């Protein structure tokens, strides 16, 4: 297997990543994610370093440096090693201290942090890298041999891993135009909350109790958290004039037939907690939310929406000839949810690798500061992990959400209250 990492290789930003890369810097956001796992024992730094070396070799297409040119950002192959830092502090990606890589691994005591630039991949891509890293570490530390479903050096790097399906995606000829977005109730403006830097509450919930509750009410973990948060906000603001509208992240790979792509491949389902839903019995609300998910994740619907978006992105990328112009245009698109989304929920799915998962005690996903309120969901080894991030000072919404859990008999443990610890990403200079 060859990695072809010559330093002078120049790689363009693909359609699926174009808005994420240019928009993040246009909106002046550190667009990175920190995945943190707490393992059963203190970390062995030497074994982790060896695991990282193998992982980097398996994913050569993530060995990139982001550069700025006159007409836009681009990638350059980066043959330097991905760094391993013994710290809990945020990393600084695409900078000298991380060998100008777009991902890094940090560790301290029994914790491993994987810091990743969201512009080069999404949660599915990051989870793949994490699975490979943890497999190689657990193989050396605990003798784990089962790597079914985990990409390793034994697996050839297929063209489908680097192909961006959105580069050639078009909407169906008979696709109806997208309906205009409805203004949503927003917590900082309509709710009068005080803007601040992002803070996080990490909550742990027993999986068996939560899954029994969701199954009894015809819900999934993602739709249930979306509904409970909507009810939490509704309890605080019963007399609002606008609807609570939440976004639920959907992985578009299955609908596009692109299961292996590493590029950003996301769309969203919107849940409108309008008055007629508000008046329904709880189990009926869950069914409605589940139905809205099915409708909006239908393959034809996803292809149509993502196809129309891809056409617009390609047209903008070709029609705007300067870096600053792309940053401005895609920055506006990047912030397009402002005023139209009350909060966002993301759930990549339950950890799929039990041989490695047996050694994971905690698993947290800390997101970029891109929405006023976000809930990231992870699940492994019999527990659900919620990271509730907000960018306003008051804790009224999170406290109301906890009351929702209590009202429905869902036990929880508040593991930590903290400021965001995602990696910093300085903008590349021309």
């Amino acid at each position: 297997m060859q990695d072809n990492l010559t330093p002078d290789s120049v790689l363009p930003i693909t359609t699926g990543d174009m808005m994420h890369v240019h928009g993040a810097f246009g909106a002046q956001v550190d667009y990175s994610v920190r995945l943190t796992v707490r393992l059963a024992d203190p970390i062995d730094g030497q074994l982790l370093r060896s695991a990282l070396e193998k992982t980097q070799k398996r994913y050569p297409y993530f060995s990139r440096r982001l550069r700025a040119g006159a007409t836009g950002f681009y990638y350059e192959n980066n043959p330097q090693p991905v760094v391993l830092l013994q710290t809990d502090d945020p990393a600084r990606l695409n900078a000298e201290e991380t060998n100008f890589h777009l991902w890094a691994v940090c560790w301290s005591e029994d914790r491993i942090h994987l810091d990743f630039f969201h512009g080069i991949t999404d949660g599915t891509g990051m989870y793949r890298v994490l699975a490979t890293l943890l497999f190689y570490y657990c193989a050396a530390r605990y003798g784990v041999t089962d790597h079914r479903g985990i990409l390793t050096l034994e697996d050839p790097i297929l063209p489908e891993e680097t192909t961006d399906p959105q580069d050639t995606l078009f909407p169906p000829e008979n696709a109806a135009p997208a309906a205009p977005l409805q203004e949503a109730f927003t917590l900082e403006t309509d709710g009068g909350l005080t803007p601040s830097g992002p803070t996080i509450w990490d909550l742990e919930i027993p999986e068996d109790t939560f899954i029994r509750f969701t199954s009894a009410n015809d819900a999934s973990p993602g739709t249930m958290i979306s509904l409970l948060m909507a009810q939490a906000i509704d309890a605080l603001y019963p007399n609002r004039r606008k609807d609570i509208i939440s976004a639920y992240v959907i992985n578009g790979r299955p609908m596009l037939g692109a299961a292996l792509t590493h590029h950003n491949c996301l769309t969203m389902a919107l849940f409108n907690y309008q008055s007629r839903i508000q008046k329904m019995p709880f189990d009926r609300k869950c069914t409605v939310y589940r139905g809205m998910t099915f409708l909006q994740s239908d393959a034809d619907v996803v292809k149509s929406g993502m196809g129309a978006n891809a056409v617009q992105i390609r047209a903008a990328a070709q029609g705007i000839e300067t870096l600053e112009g792309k940053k401005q245009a895609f920055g506006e698109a990047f912030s397009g949810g402002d005023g139209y989304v009350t909060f966002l929920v993301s759930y990549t799915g339950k950890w799929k690798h039990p041989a490695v998962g047996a050694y994971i005690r905690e698993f947290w996903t800390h997101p970029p500061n891109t929405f006023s309120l976000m809930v990231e969901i992870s699940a492994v080894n019999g527990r659900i992990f919620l990271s509730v991030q907000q960018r306003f000072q008051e804790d009224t919404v999170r406290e109301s959400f906890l009351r929702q859990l209590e009202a429905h008999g869902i036990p929880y443990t508040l593991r930590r209250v903290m400021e965001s610890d995602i990696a910093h990403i300085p903008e590349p200079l021309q």
Side-chain angles (χ1 to χ4, degrees), residues 42-43 48 85-88 106-113:
I43 304 302
L48 184 57
L85 303 171
Q86 187 174 356
T87 181
D88 287 317
C106 303
W107 69 278
S108 179
E109 299 178 354
D110 57 357
R111 298 176 295 277
I112 297 175
H113 310 287

Side-chain angles (χ1 to χ4, degrees), residues 103-137:
W103 64 290
V105 176
C106 303
W107 69 278
S108 179
E109 299 178 354
D110 57 357
R111 298 176 295 277
I112 297 175
H113 310 287
L114 177 63
D115 291 309
F116 235 102
F117 176 47
H118 201 331
I120 199 170
T121 193
D122 55 21
T124 297
M126 296 176 201
Y127 274 40
R128 285 179 185 160
V129 174
L130 179 64
T132 302
L133 178 72
L134 291 181
F135 167 71
Y136 279 122
Y137 178 79

Side-chain angles (χ1 to χ4, degrees), residues 182 234 238 240-245 272-281 285 289:
Q182 174 185 336
D234 177 53
R240 64 190 179 278
R241 297 180 180 178
K242 300 176 183 176
D243 291 338
I244 297 167
I245 301 176
N272 187 331
Y273 189 74
Q274 52 192 279
S275 58
R276 63 192 182 96
I277 296 176
Q278 178 188 20
K279 298 173 184 176
M280 293 178 179
K285 293 178 182 179
Y289 266 53

